[in-house]
Each structure stands twice: as structure tokens, then as C-alpha cells.
Amino acid sequence: MANNKFKEFFQLGEVGNYFIRVFKKPDPNQKSNYNLRMMHGINKISILVFLAALIFWIVRRLM
């Protein structure tokens, strides 16, 4: 029972699975359109900018 709770605690959920799907290589067998590729590209940029700002904020607060 404890092992099951441990696995459940570290499940990524919908948001985590989206991050993995955005940053992995696209599946060549799956049909993709231009709008979907642009949406994922913009999301990659926004996630990276957010993480950079978060790191900058943390470093600035510690100094």
C-alpha cells in the first residue's frame, strides 16, 4: 500500500505530461498542422522564459 502512494505522489498528471510532450521530438506518424506546431513553439519559449525569470528571482533574493 505504501509503494502505491509513493508512485501516486510522483505521477506527473496532465500538466507534467504536457511539458514532456512539448519538449520531446514530434512523432512522424502523427499528423501535425502549422497551428499546432506554432502553439507548441510559443509554449516552449514561454516555459523557458518563466523558468529563467524564476531562477533570476531566486538568485536575486539570496544575494
Side-chain angles (χ1 to χ4, degrees), residues 49-63:
V49 169
F50 173 76
L51 290 176
L54 190 65
I55 291 169
F56 178 76
W57 181 77
I58 289 171
V59 168
R60 192 147 177 211
R61 295 291 265 171
L62 292 176
M63 291 185 153

Side-chain angles (χ1 to χ4, degrees), residues 16-40:
N17 288 332
Y18 178 76
F19 288 142
I20 291 172
R21 190 173 66 231
V22 167
F23 285 104
K24 74 176 185 178
K25 281 186 147 185
D27 185 11
N29 298 327
Q30 188 175 3
K31 185 178 178 185
S32 177
N33 62 16
Y34 180 75
N35 293 331
L36 188 63
R37 286 194 318 254
M38 288 299 110
M39 180 192 71
H40 285 302

